[in-house]
């Protein structure tokens, strides 16, 4: 369906400017513009984990500059690469001819930003930002509200034709990833009502941000990936090895094998034999140990890498294991 809307000129002077309300999501990101100048502005990014069970560790945040902006300095976070080549050979280098680009933090179109370690919190140049310097950890808000937020600031320089105080554009294509964390899908930045900050001097007054955008990220169902590794088990008290499951990494051709049959036990030396040559050893081992041999042999695991977990010894207080990886 579609609809065509035309502006009502008679109502033009009666409408008031009002931005969208803030949305709820698993991870919300606020992009506030705190100070503006002709060529640059100061922005603050606030990440809040509002999922009751989701947790981020060592988060990495990235976006895309749509209008040639670059990061001059940052506090509370840093970019993985201090790359200034994009400025030197681009429009920024042509316009800012007298700028010392060796002091610029990052000129990449898609910078990758990470949180500071806790040791940098009291650093006067890179720290001193509330809710910063937690090594990229965002706990669920119901676990600890004070540890569910991360904040950092950045000085953003603009390039022509956006050289005026009102030309403010947030980055696009936001994305956040971490270590052993859920997959997030972030929406586009939406202009919302400006954020209000309490007065830093203790007065009963609020400071309102110049402009505010919100980015909402929600946990998505991870896409199914092809398995390439499996685990086999063995022990000092058993002559046989429990191999990887049948079709552990998938089976494409099942005409000559049974993908539903249980994998046959193997002698320990068979783990070092290529997959296509293990059938003869499995049959010979079954005859020696008087094990049943299926009429249609089970398919192999088809894994490129396998790991063997071998129980070496067993004691009253614990046990030891040897782990071997086969490529």
């Amino acid at each position: 369906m579609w609809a065509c809307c035309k502006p009502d000129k008679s109502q033009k002077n009666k409408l008031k400017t009002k931005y969208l309300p803030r949305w709820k999501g698993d991870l919300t990101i606020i992009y506030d513009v705190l100070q503006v100048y002709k060529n640059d502005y100061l922005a603050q990014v606030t990440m809040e984990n509002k999922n009751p069970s989701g947790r981020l560790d060592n988060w990495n945040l990235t976006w895309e500059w749509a209008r040639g902006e670059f990061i001059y300095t940052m506090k509370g976070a840093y970019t993985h690469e201090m790359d200034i080549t994009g400025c030197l050979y681009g429009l920024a280098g042509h316009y800012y001819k007298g700028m010392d680009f060796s002091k610029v933090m990052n000129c990449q179109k898609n910078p990758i930003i990470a949180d500071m370690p806790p040791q940098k919190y009291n650093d006067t140049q890179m720290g001193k930002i509330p809710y910063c310097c937690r090594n990229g950890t965002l706990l669920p808000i119901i676990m600890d509200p004070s540890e569910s937020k991360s904040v950092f600031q950045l000085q953003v320089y603009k390039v022509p034709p956006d050289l005026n105080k009102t030309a403010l554009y947030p980055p696009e294509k936001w994305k956040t990833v971490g270590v052993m964390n859920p997959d997030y899908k972030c929406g586009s930045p939406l202009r919302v009502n400006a954020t209000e900050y309490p007065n830093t001097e203790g007065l009963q007054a609020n400071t309102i941000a110049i402009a505010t955008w919100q980015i909402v990220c929600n946990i998505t169902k991870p896409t199914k990936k092809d398995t390439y590794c499996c685990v086999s088990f063995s022990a000092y008290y058993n002559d046989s090895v429990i191999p990887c499951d049948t079709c552990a990494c998938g089976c494409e051709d099942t005409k000559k094998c049974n993908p539903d049959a249980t994998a046959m036990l193997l002698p320990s030396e068979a783990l070092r034999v290529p997959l296509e040559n293990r059938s003869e050893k499995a049959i010979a081992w079954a005859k020696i140990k008087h094990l049943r041999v299926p009429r249609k042999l089970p398919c192999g695991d088809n894994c490129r890498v396998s790991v063997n977990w071998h129980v070496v010894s067993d004691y009253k207080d614990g046990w030891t294991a040897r782990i071997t990886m086969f490529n």
Side-chain angles (χ1 to χ4, degrees):
M1 297 185 295
W2 61 276
C4 182
C5 302
K6 295 181 179 180
D8 188 354
K9 296 181 179 180
S10 62
Q11 301 292 328
K12 184 176 181 180
N13 297 327
K14 297 180 181 181
L15 296 176
K16 294 183 179 180
T17 302
K18 187 177 181 181
Y19 298 107
L20 294 171
R22 303 200 178 193
W23 295 80
K24 295 181 180 180
D26 297 323
L27 177 69
T28 59
I29 304 174
I30 299 297
Y31 189 82
D32 286 322
V33 177
L34 305 181
Q35 300 173 5
V36 293
Y37 308 95
K38 179 182 178 181
N39 298 338
D40 61 300
Y41 64 87
L42 177 66
Q44 179 169 289
V45 178
T46 304
M47 302 172 60
E48 289 189 82
N49 182 13
K50 296 185 177 181
N51 186 277
S53 59
R55 170 175 174 158
L56 276 81
D57 290 294
N58 300 111
W59 56 258
N60 289 310
L61 182 66
T62 183
W63 60 59
E64 181 177 299
W65 294 113
R67 305 183 70 87
E69 301 95 334
F70 62 92
I71 302 173
Y72 188 79
T73 57
M74 295 187 73
K75 295 186 70 174
Y78 68 98
T79 57
H80 278 257
E81 295 182 359
M82 312 296 181
D83 187 4
I84 63 173
T85 56
C87 292
L88 292 176
Y89 303 106
L91 183 60
H94 178 75
Y95 178 75
Y96 297 102
K97 295 181 179 179
M99 179 180 290
D100 183 7
F101 284 99
S102 63
K103 298 180 180 180
V104 175
M105 175 165 282
N106 187 277
C107 294
Q108 293 177 326
K109 187 176 181 179
N110 301 95
I112 300 176
I113 301 167
D115 194 11
M116 286 281 186
Q119 296 83 354
K120 292 290 185 179
Y121 182 80
N122 293 322
D123 192 302
T124 56
Q125 293 184 348
M126 306 184 71
K128 294 291 185 179
I129 300 292
Y131 302 102
C132 85
C133 311
R134 293 174 172 175
N135 212 24
T137 298
L138 286 177
L139 298 179
I141 192 170
I142 62 173
M143 181 182 294
D144 190 347
S146 63
E147 298 289 335
S148 65
K149 184 187 297 185
S150 186
V151 180
F152 63 90
Q153 294 181 354
L154 62 157
Q155 195 78 21
V156 181
Y157 270 74
K158 303 179 291 183
V159 296
D162 300 330
L163 300 180
N164 58 73
K165 294 182 179 181
T166 59
L168 301 173
Y169 301 93
E172 303 287 343
K173 299 180 181 180
W174 292 67
K175 183 180 180 182
T176 179
V177 294
V179 179
M180 298 297 291
N181 292 325
D183 293 329
Y184 290 89
K185 184 177 181 180
C186 300
S188 301
L190 297 176
R191 185 76 180 266
V192 295
N193 293 329
T195 305
E196 296 184 3
Y197 294 95
N199 189 275
T200 57
E201 298 178 356
L203 301 177
Q204 293 183 355
N206 293 329
T207 302
I208 302 176
I210 297 172
T212 299
W213 288 268
Q214 184 191 37
I215 301 93
V216 179
C217 304
N218 289 313
I219 297 176
T220 60
K221 187 176 181 180
T223 56
K224 187 176 180 181
K225 299 180 180 179
D226 295 333
T227 307
Y228 60 89
C229 180
C230 63
V231 182
S232 61
F233 299 91
S234 60
Y236 69 92
Y237 51 80
N238 199 334
D239 296 335
S240 300
V241 175
I242 301 176
C244 293
D245 291 338
T246 306
C247 299
C249 298
C251 287
E252 297 180 358
D253 187 10
T254 58
K255 295 180 180 179
K256 297 181 180 179
C257 59
N258 186 1
D260 300 322
T262 304
M264 298 176 62
L265 298 179
L266 298 172
S268 58
E269 67 273 9
L271 293 176
R272 295 188 292 270
V273 176
L275 178 64
E276 55 272 11
N277 298 331
R278 291 181 191 171
S279 299
E280 297 181 1
K281 283 188 171 290
I283 295 174
W285 186 252
K287 292 181 180 179
I288 295 174
K289 296 295 181 180
H290 305 287
L291 303 174
R292 188 181 71 87
V293 178
R295 185 171 298 179
K296 192 175 182 180
L297 296 179
C299 299
D301 53 71
N302 298 309
C303 295
R304 293 172 286 175
V305 177
S306 63
V307 180
N308 176 247
W309 183 283
H310 178 76
V311 178
V312 179
S313 57
D314 190 11
Y315 303 96
K316 182 179 180 181
D317 297 331
W319 44 273
T320 60
R322 182 183 70 242
I323 300 175
T324 308
M325 180 177 292
F326 299 95
N327 187 0

